[in-house]
Amino acid sequence: MADPIQTSDQQISDQRLLKGARARATIARRAAEVASVEGLNGLSLGRLATDLGVSKSGVATLFGSKENLQLAAVESAREVFIDVVWRPAVSRPRGIERLRAYMEHWFVYIGEPAMPGGCFRVAGMAEFDSRPGPVRDALAADHHDWLAVLEKEIRRAQEQGLLTGQQPHALAFQLDALVSAANTATQMGDESAIPTARGIVDALLGGGA
């Protein structure tokens, strides 16, 4: 029979781990929101502690360093992107339908931004493109993964007889560049940016049919 004292201790330990995980996720999400506006280098343990009404020492215990906090913000922003863009589209049929769904949800993501500063990826890559290190590596890996997702659906569309003559990587690059440019222009107040980019995307995805 299990020792009731050991069982109780384990339950307390599990509860603490769960509470810590929830706190870490909350702080990471707030870090991503702040970084989308002020940049990843604008993050500080003290600022986040003040924003969330927790102790600075508590934030430091969970993350240990500013770099770890930045990495957690990158991962949290990635999870938001998956929830808003990838997950709603992945139930659509593979190939051109799913690719178009990705693009539509992507435009929603920048038009009704989940982050106050718009697309976290665009802001982060611009900030760290010439700063080697783990944060840049994480941003680059996230970007590479998303382009790979787009390329996969482009190839599937080509198997369906669509998008013929297109080079998958080049087309994925164009789609990414268009949405990134639309995000920046939208953040600068250009209300025509998303409709313009959407029209170009429609032409790119419909021109090979």
Side-chain angles (χ1 to χ4, degrees):
M1 189 174 84
D3 185 333
I5 295 177
Q6 289 183 348
T7 301
S8 178
D9 288 345
Q10 182 61 52
Q11 289 174 340
I12 292 171
S13 177
D14 290 346
Q15 289 170 357
R16 286 175 176 169
L17 286 172
L18 184 59
K19 185 177 179 181
R22 285 198 296 261
R24 196 177 195 283
T26 298
I27 295 168
R29 175 60 187 268
R30 179 57 185 160
E33 292 172 349
V34 171
S36 73
V37 177
E38 300 179 13
L40 284 161
N41 274 322
L43 293 177
S44 73
L45 303 179
R47 159 70 186 277
L48 291 171
T50 299
D51 284 356
L52 296 171
V54 298
S55 69
K56 181 178 178 180
S57 61
V59 178
T61 298
L62 287 170
F63 294 96
S65 69
K66 180 175 179 176
E67 184 176 88
N68 287 338
L69 181 62
Q70 291 171 328
L71 291 169
V74 172
E75 182 58 30
S76 181
R78 175 187 172 95
E79 292 170 1
V80 171
F81 186 86
I82 288 171
D83 285 342
V84 176
V85 179
W86 180 85
R87 189 162 283 118
V90 76
S91 61
R92 300 294 295 275
R94 294 175 176 179
I96 193 66
E97 285 194 46
R98 188 178 295 180
L99 181 61
R100 285 176 173 148
Y102 281 146
M103 298 310 300
E104 185 55 36
H105 288 293
W106 202 358
F107 280 122
V108 171
Y109 172 77
I110 65 170
E112 302 172 11
M115 299 285 173
C119 181
F120 179 95
R121 178 185 286 111
V122 173
M125 289 179 61
E127 183 181 8
F128 274 82
D129 58 359
S130 59
R131 299 182 181 186
V135 177
R136 180 182 182 273
D137 292 346
L139 289 164
D142 178 56
H143 186 238
H144 177 271
D145 288 348
W146 179 236
L147 288 181
V149 168
L150 296 177
E151 287 180 45
K152 181 185 291 186
E153 296 310 323
I154 292 167
R155 291 191 179 93
R156 286 170 171 167
Q158 290 176 333
E159 293 170 0
Q160 298 166 345
L162 305 172
L163 305 180
T164 56
Q166 297 272 19
Q167 204 286 325
H169 180 75
L171 180 54
F173 184 90
Q174 290 178 77
L175 297 175
D176 180 68
L178 281 165
V179 179
S180 296
N183 173 77
T184 299
T186 298
Q187 289 299 113
M188 294 295 291
D190 184 354
E191 296 181 359
S192 70
I194 291 177
T196 298
R198 185 182 271 119
I200 298 171
V201 167
D202 287 344
L204 286 170
L205 299 187

